[in-house]
Structure formats: C-alpha cells, structure tokens
Amino acid sequence: MESTEFKPTIERGMPEEFEGRWQKKYLDELKIKAIRALDERSVSYRKFFVGVAILTYNTEKRKYRIDFCGNFKPVKDDSEEGETKRCAERRALEKAKKYGSDVVVGIVIASPRTDTEKTEEKKEKTNSTLPSCDECCKMYGQEDMVKPWTKVLTIKIRKFDKIRDKNIFEDLKIVDEETREVKPVDLDQFIVAQEESDIQTILAAKEQNDS
C-alpha cells in the first residue's frame, strides 16, 4: 500500500493526512472487506456473525495496511474445543500488530445484528447498528496503537443469508452469475444503516452508561 509521512501532532481529531485516506481512499474497500469477513471468516455456534476490517499504519515504514477478520465462537462452552472466544475486532488488531502496524486509523464493523450478546439477553434493542462489546471497548482503551481519534464505522447488513450462502465477494468486485462479468460492488444493496464515531466518543459514552 501507499506510504505517507506521519505527523503525530493532533490528538483531538484525526490527523489530516489520515482523514483524507480514511474518507476518500480506503473506506469503500474497508466496508467491502468487513462484509467479506462477515461472510467468509466469522464462526458462531449461535449465528452471531461479525466481520471487521481495520486500516492501520506503520510509522517506521510509512505504509498503510488493511486486515479483515471474523469473530470466532464455535461452541457454547469454548473449553470443549480448547479455544477461547475471539471478537473480530481483537483478531484484526492482533493481525495488524503482527505485521508491524502501530497506529489504528479506523475500524469498520459489519453485522446483520444490532444487539450485543448482553443486550440481547436483556431484550434491549436500541441500536441501529452493532456496537463494540464491553471487552472490545476495554481493549480500545488499553492499546497504544488505538488513538482517541481512531474512527469506528459500524454497518448493519441486509440480505445476509444471500451473502453467506453464495460467497459473492471477490476482493473489491463481484461476479455476475449470469454473464460472469466482474462488476464493481453496489454497497447500497447490502448496507441498511451505518454510524460513524471515534474511540474517544465511544469510551466516554460507555463510561457514562456504566456510571
């Protein structure tokens, strides 16, 4: 991916050079890859599917990177398989760190759900998109590479069964089943709702709700 000079001088808002790439260059790719992760890489015994795409930056190499992962919870009692529950956000962040990224520019979270497991148990459904769970919010606050200005875009997906059954995504394009022609993705056919915020706002709201 392209390189850019990093100037870590703005903490209140996203640095200008990141803002341009987030909004104008990588956002559609991130949305598509989050949906692909939801479709191809999420594993949940209770069909609670989440896909995440994360845009990160390596300050030493001046390189951007995109990673995408799904959540992983194959059985109700994780100990049966010797695995632990892994949120898609955490898996994507760990992968980016493994390859040397040290700044999270933005995160896109895709799901057909709008309720976390906790709110679902309480029959609370007040969100238009799926927010990060408590564990992920805690991770955001602890990770140095996640900045107060790091963007978080949550998107609710429609026609999820169609996506999951047919695996229609191929990188940034899809293939027309009749003509076999490669076409650009029309994101509007998949996205019902979307909300954008930043880490500072998300953590402040969580703190207020918990108090």
Side-chain angles (χ1 to χ4, degrees), residues 24 34 41 43 61 66 76 80 89 108 132 143 152 159-161 166 172 174 177:
K24 298 177 181 179
R41 305 186 180 189
V43 177
K61 295 181 178 180
I66 291 178
K76 186 173 183 179
E80 293 178 12
E89 295 94 321
V108 174
S132 294
E143 285 286 351
V152 178
K159 298 180 181 178
F160 176 71
D161 289 341
K166 294 187 178 180
L172 299 185
I174 58 176
E177 292 185 359

Side-chain angles (χ1 to χ4, degrees), residues 4 7 9-10 20 26 48 51 56 64 72 81 83 85-86 89 110 129 131 154 160 167 183 185 195:
T4 190
K7 302 172 184 177
T9 57
I10 305 174
Y26 293 122
F48 198 102
T56 57
Y64 288 92
F72 183 82
E81 296 294 330
E83 296 281 353
K85 170 188 172 184
R86 306 296 289 172
E89 295 94 321
T129 59
T154 53
F160 176 71
N167 259 351
K183 295 184 176 182
V185 172
E195 293 185 3

Side-chain angles (χ1 to χ4, degrees), residues 185-210:
V185 172
D186 175 14
L187 287 170
D188 290 340
Q189 68 176 304
F190 300 110
I191 297 176
V192 175
Q194 53 187 336
E195 293 185 3
E196 182 175 294
S197 188
D198 57 45
I199 293 297
Q200 181 172 275
T201 302
I202 291 171
L203 296 184
K206 184 181 184 306
E207 183 178 354
Q208 183 176 8
N209 291 336
D210 290 346

Side-chain angles (χ1 to χ4, degrees), residues 28-168:
D28 280 350
E29 180 178 354
L30 287 160
K31 290 178 183 179
I32 292 166
K33 288 188 173 178
I35 297 172
R36 280 191 58 200
L38 169 72
D39 177 27
E40 302 167 8
R41 305 186 180 189
S42 58
V43 177
S44 172
Y45 77 94
R46 58 195 296 272
K47 298 184 179 180
F48 198 102
F49 299 116
V50 183
V52 165
I54 183 171
L55 176 64
T56 57
Y57 184 73
N58 184 314
T59 55
E60 180 180 354
K61 295 181 178 180
R62 298 182 181 180
K63 297 286 186 181
Y64 288 92
R65 167 180 189 88
I66 291 178
D67 291 289
F68 54 112
C69 295
N71 60 322
F72 183 82
K73 191 173 183 181
V75 292
K76 186 173 183 179
D77 182 1
D78 292 327
S79 63
E80 293 178 12
E81 296 294 330
E83 296 281 353
T84 58
K85 170 188 172 184
R86 306 296 289 172
C87 291
E89 295 94 321
R90 182 176 294 279
R91 296 181 75 195
L93 189 68
E94 290 175 348
K95 187 175 180 181
K97 289 175 68 175
K98 178 181 177 181
Y99 286 97
S101 293
D102 53 1
V103 175
V104 179
V105 179
I107 304 167
V108 174
I109 304 168
S111 179
R113 309 293 290 265
T114 60
D115 52 306
T116 63
E117 294 186 56
K118 181 179 291 187
T119 57
E120 183 191 49
E121 290 171 1
K122 296 179 179 179
K123 305 301 180 184
E124 298 173 0
K125 295 179 181 289
T126 58
N127 306 299
S128 60
T129 59
L130 181 70
S132 294
C133 67
D134 290 347
E135 290 82 3
C136 287
C137 287
K138 183 178 180 180
M139 175 187 68
Y140 295 153
Q142 294 175 337
E143 285 286 351
D144 290 338
M145 67 188 297
V146 179
K147 307 302 180 184
W149 45 258
T150 294
K151 297 290 187 182
V152 178
L153 177 69
T154 53
I155 56 179
K156 181 182 178 182
I157 304 303
R158 69 157 62 97
K159 298 180 181 178
F160 176 71
D161 289 341
K162 177 180 178 181
I163 297 173
R164 191 162 188 83
D165 291 343
K166 294 187 178 180
N167 259 351
I168 63 175

